[in-house]
Each structure stands twice: as C-alpha cells, then as structure tokens.
Amino acid sequence: MAVILDGKKLRDKLLEKLQKKIDKFEVKPKLSVILVGENPASKIYVNNKQKIAQKIGINSEIIHFSQNISEKELLSKIEELNNDKAVNAILVQLPLPEHISKENVINSINPAKDVDGFTPYNYGKLFSGEKPNVYPCTPKGILLLLDEYNIEIAGKHVVVIGRSNIVGRPVAQMLLDRNATVTMCHSKTQNLAQITKTADIIISAVGKYIIKGEMLKSGCVIIDVGIFKDESGKTRGDVDFETSSKIASYISPVPGGVGPMTIASLMLNTVELFEKSL
Ligand code: GUN
C-alpha cells in the first residue's frame, strides 16, 4: 500500500511558519485577486485563497467583476493595482470569459507583482533556466510535496500528462532543471500505458479519469493534479486510487494532495514578492 502524500499536513506546516514570519512585519503583504464572472469552481478557489490569506495575516481583497466587463475596464483595474504601492501581489483567476484576451490581461500585470509567475517575463525566465521572481503555484507545490517526502528527482523518469500553461509545461521545466528525464504526454499521445509503465514519477494534470493501476510500474510515485466531480457528484482526480495505491510507493490523494499545496505556494509567493519589494 502506497504512502499518502499529505498535502494538507504540509500546507499547515508551511503556513504556520509563514504566519510567524508575517507577524514580524510591520506593514503586511497585500494580495489582490481579480475574479471575473460566476464560474462556481473559480469562486470556491478564490474564497479559499482569501480565507487562508486572512488567517495568516496577509491583507487580501477579492475584486469581483461581472461576466460582461470589457477588456479595457479590466486592464485599467490592473494598471491601478500595478501602481498601488500597498499591493504587492496580483492574481487574475483563470479562466476568463471568451471576449477577454487572456494574453493581454496576463501581459499587463507588473512582473514584480505577478504572483502566479505567468507573465512573459517570469515565464520566459523559467523556460530559459533562469530564476523568475516566483514559480507558478501548482508546480511549486508539487515540488515542495516531493521534497517533503525525500523523493528523488534527479535522473528519474518523470512522465507529465497534460501540457497546460498552469501545470504541465512549467512543472516539466522545473523537473528538468532538477535533472529529471521528462516525457510530456497529452491528449494525442499514442500508447499512453506503454509510457506510464516506464515512469518513476507520474504527474497527471488532465481533469479526466485516465490512470489505472495496470498502467503503472511497481513502486512509482503518483501526483494527481486532476480535480473534478464524477457523475455521482463525488470529487475525484485523474487517478484510480483503489488500484493505483496498490502498485505505487507514494500517491497524492484528491482532495487533500496537490490542491492545498497550490494555496500554500500562493501564500509563499505573496510573501516572496513582498520581501523583494522592500
Ligand atoms: N485557475 C486554475 N488554477 C489557477 C492558477 O494557478 N492561477 C490562476 N490565476 N488561475 C487559475
């Protein structure tokens, strides 16, 4: 039976340490989160971020715009936050409505306040092997979780499934920088099981039920980034826990694995940007 990679426990440990650090600051870090529209999942994420930020002493505000806000209005709000000295971290919750260019919005964030690490400046630094101001939250959380359990990365074959800008691409790059041998798989990959069978570490970030025990090498490590509700309304990940946890040596659960680590990383990034701004 695999060891559970407990994201909640590590989140609590990291946040406790961070809170002690924030207690010592005279002026507190401030995170501004922009939410556009009524996407139920986004609303839950944003509220969770707000609750945790406030709990550990980060000033946090949610700026909620209606679905039909114009791109111009949104860009002008970001400009205002860029110029506001009290704000040191800006997050625009994705996805955005279709009439708004995600690219224009992300490009408009000051890279020094880009808490997701998604601006071309920070993303470009990451992909050229240089240090960005901060690393994207979910990939950073995944690496913190692997490190907490002393899971070796250098020289290991890591299979990343999913090529999103938020998870797949940046996590692959960060693992490459840690000397992993990385294979990227995606929706057009043929013979996925043949590839996963050779993986020492699997990172699945698809949002579909795709990984079963029979696709795994004995003793592998599984990071399940997927989170969605199945037909019966149960929250689940990409990985069939029942069969996979019998073959793997470590497995991250859903919920309680990567999700809490993403929020912990956001708080860490907010404080890192704050300290850089001093
Ligand atoms: N939507 C889903 N994940 C994320 C994330 O990490 N950052 C932002 N801004 N939006 C998201």
Side-chain angles (χ1 to χ4, degrees), residues 45 49 91-95 116 118 137-138 166 262:
Y45 293 146
K49 289 166 186 171
L91 182 145
V92 179
Q93 185 67 28
L94 302 172
D116 271 317
F118 289 165
C137 298
T138 301
I166 296 179
T262 297

Side-chain angles (χ1 to χ4, degrees), residues 220-239:
C220 70
V221 175
I222 303 179
I223 302 288
D224 189 349
V225 191
I227 184 159
F228 56 97
K229 294 224 191 275
D230 68 12
E231 314 84 56
S232 67
K234 185 174 178 280
T235 297
R236 48 161 313 147
D238 295 351
V239 179

